[in-house]
Amino acid sequence: MQSNSWLYCVMIRKILAFITLFCVVPVLPLDAQEGPEGSKPFAIVHYGCHGASYLGKPSDYDAPCKVMERADSLGLLTPLGQDVVGRLRLIRQDARNHWGELTEQGIQEQQEIARRMMARFPEVLNRDCSYIGARSLRNTRSMLSMEQLLVEVSKVCRIRVYHNASNAFSSYLNSLDENQLAVRKDSAAKVAYEAISERYSDGDRLAKTLFSDSDFIRSQVDVQMLNDLLFKIAANIRQTGTEGKVTLNDLFTADEISHQRKRQEAWNNLNFGGEVRIPFVHQLLRHLIHCTDTAQTFKQSAVFHIADETSFLPLVSLLGIDSWSEECGVWSENSPASKNLQFVLYRKNPEDQDVWIKVLLNEQEVSLPLPSAHAPYYRLKDFQEYYLEKVKRYE
């Protein structure tokens, strides 16, 4: 009981700040800085999430439409309900056959990340770059995100780019196995999530504004599903071709928006949080460390990785960035859809063995739990030794 109470308190602290998964926050690049003792950037190891995209399944759009269209056929929609079902049809038509694909905004996000990277690190990404590699998960939004990054980079780096999208990369880009699923389905976090979800359920207020018959609501409408999906669609509109043409934001009160965010935060923690994901992202961290090692064999190089968001947040926690702990697997502030980490390596020349590393989170310098007289720069040897030792705990 005491353990569950403690976990519940941790969950409450985690959800105080909502993770806006579908909000793109403008990120201004910092000027490239000279590293310690006159060292210069020579390699970038990038790990990022796909850009803004449509919702992943037709049912995300169809489910609320179907129940409202059924009510409409029976004459049981209010004037607002009739207006809303028309909006939903427009949104659904825009998303038709684009489930899970990048939107125009998502394409632009990846292009701009590449442009800022090239502007910030011209010592790495230039005509003389020795090696460019890229890997992504084998889903449309990840592959298209990788493509958009590489299209921009290839405008400057005139070399052959080695890139691939394969399920073989899932072992570290998106690790998910039976043990992890078991944790998600049977854990104290699940109990805490259900308590939070029930606490912040808003009942049938919204349904009563859309449907004119209480019996229909009681017998035909999954009220919480309707609330959740309408909110999900409302949040996703800003990424799509219907932005500026239609909105669903007017359907929710300020309290309901706050409650939906808290429910979503709790769901993110259950599915992608520290308890679930941390033990399974060590393969990813080991791979990225290997990439920093390999990069030293090239004069200049860049390696890009594109995946879903499921491993990104726990990786930040495992790294302990800005004092994040392994108990905190959830984002604590607004974060862009195209979240990314950049591991930038510095040295004086190709013969220099004293290599330094700087980590950028969403293109902002961050601190690591390592001693350094030149933070946010850390000796690569210290970085590799510290995190390889950490990785061993999960193997």
Side-chain angles (χ1 to χ4, degrees):
M1 179 65 70
Q2 183 177 3
S3 176
N4 286 346
S5 299
W6 173 85
L7 181 58
Y8 184 84
C9 292
V10 171
M11 290 278 292
I12 290 294
R13 290 198 298 270
K14 288 177 181 178
I15 67 171
L16 289 178
F18 169 59
I19 174 176
T20 309
L21 290 177
F22 302 106
C23 177
V24 177
V25 179
V27 184
L28 297 177
L30 302 175
D31 293 333
Q33 298 178 13
E34 186 176 88
E37 302 169 3
S39 57
K40 301 287 187 180
F42 72 93
I44 300 170
V45 176
H46 161 280
Y47 176 78
C49 302
H50 61 74
S53 61
Y54 288 97
L55 298 180
K57 305 185 297 295
S59 59
D60 291 333
Y61 300 92
D62 290 342
C65 271
K66 286 180 178 179
V67 68
M68 294 193 70
E69 286 172 341
R70 173 168 173 73
D72 192 26
S73 70
L74 297 173
L76 300 179
L77 287 182
T78 65
L80 176 61
Q82 292 173 346
D83 179 51
V84 169
V85 77
R87 298 187 224 173
L88 288 174
R89 287 167 179 155
L90 177 63
I91 295 166
R92 181 174 60 178
Q93 182 59 36
D94 175 67
R96 187 175 182 82
N97 295 324
H98 293 296
W99 333 119
E101 292 182 6
L102 283 189
T103 62
E104 289 299 319
Q105 179 176 303
I107 291 172
Q108 183 178 353
E109 287 167 9
Q110 297 297 333
Q111 291 173 340
E112 290 179 351
I113 287 172
R115 290 169 192 157
R116 289 194 296 266
M117 200 180 303
M118 291 186 290
R120 189 172 185 178
F121 301 110
E123 302 92 340
V124 180
L125 297 170
N126 56 46
R127 280 181 169 271
D128 298 323
C129 189
S130 312
Y131 176 83
I132 300 287
R135 294 180 175 183
S136 83
L137 290 178
R138 195 177 176 181
N139 61 54
T140 303
R141 57 193 177 188
S142 294
M143 291 189 290
L144 289 177
S145 293
M146 177 177 68
E147 177 186 346
Q148 293 303 320
L149 273 174
L150 295 180
V151 165
E152 292 302 310
V153 170
S154 65
K155 294 177 181 178
V156 172
C157 302
R158 305 292 185 177
I159 64 169
R160 178 183 177 185
V161 176
Y162 296 87
H163 60 97
N164 195 6
S166 172
N167 292 332
F169 306 147
S170 294
S171 61
Y172 54 88
L173 288 184
N174 189 30
S175 58
L176 187 68
D177 63 16
E178 293 181 0
N179 292 329
Q180 184 174 334
L181 291 172
V183 171
R184 188 167 65 184
K185 292 178 179 178
D186 183 19
S187 65
K190 185 174 185 293
V191 174
Y193 162 72
E194 290 172 347
I196 291 169
S197 181
E198 182 177 353
R199 177 179 178 182
Y200 291 109
S201 296
D202 289 302
D204 59 2
R205 189 220 50 98
L206 176 56
K208 288 180 177 179
T209 69
L210 303 176
F211 303 95
S212 59
D213 186 86
S214 57
D215 289 336
F216 182 86
I217 294 174
R218 184 169 53 254
S219 62
Q220 302 293 322
V221 181
D222 183 335
V223 170
Q224 193 58 61
M225 179 277 290
L226 183 69
N227 291 349
D228 291 347
L229 284 180
L230 287 177
F231 185 80
K232 188 176 181 179
I233 294 171
N236 186 246
I237 285 174
R238 73 191 71 175
Q239 304 181 35
T240 70
T242 54
E243 183 181 21
K245 301 176 183 177
V246 63
T247 182
L248 297 177
N249 294 338
D250 58 305
L251 302 182
F252 301 92
T253 67
D255 282 345
E256 287 170 347
I257 291 173
S258 175
H259 294 170
Q260 281 286 348
R261 288 174 172 175
K262 288 174 179 176
R263 284 169 51 83
Q264 181 65 47
E265 182 73 0
W267 187 90
N268 290 336
N269 185 67
L270 173 66
N271 287 272
F272 312 132
E275 180 184 2
V276 176
R277 297 295 297 195
I278 285 293
F280 300 92
V281 295
H282 71 273
Q283 302 100 317
L284 172 59
L285 182 52
R286 179 177 285 282
H287 171 77
L288 295 173
I289 292 171
H290 172 73
C291 289
T292 65
D293 210 31
T294 304
Q296 297 176 71
T297 63
F298 298 99
K299 183 178 179 182
Q300 297 137 307
S301 69
V303 179
F304 302 95
H305 304 83
I306 298 290
D308 289 330
E309 296 175 322
T310 53
S311 292
F312 187 88
L313 308 180
L315 176 62
V316 172
S317 297
L318 186 56
L319 288 166
I321 287 176
D322 286 342
S323 300
W324 276 47
S325 73
E326 289 162 74
E327 288 74 33
C328 301
V330 181
W331 212 235
S332 58
E333 58 188 66
N334 290 345
S335 63
S338 300
K339 293 184 283 290
N340 65 95
L341 282 164
Q342 296 173 23
F343 302 82
V344 187
L345 305 186
Y346 289 73
R347 65 186 176 192
K348 296 176 185 175
N349 54 62
E351 287 71 42
D352 185 10
Q353 299 299 309
D354 192 16
V355 180
W356 296 79
I357 186 170
K358 177 172 68 175
V359 178
L360 304 177
L361 172 59
N362 294 332
E363 300 170 63
Q364 302 299 315
E365 294 175 345
V366 295
S367 63
L368 302 176
L370 295 172
S372 176
H374 301 286
Y377 300 89
Y378 303 86
R379 279 195 162 84
L380 181 60
K381 181 180 179 181
D382 295 340
F383 173 90
Q384 293 175 334
E385 289 180 353
Y386 176 83
Y387 286 111
L388 284 175
E389 186 62 33
K390 204 170 188 180
V391 162
K392 290 178 183 178
R393 303 177 195 171
Y394 301 104
E395 294 180 336

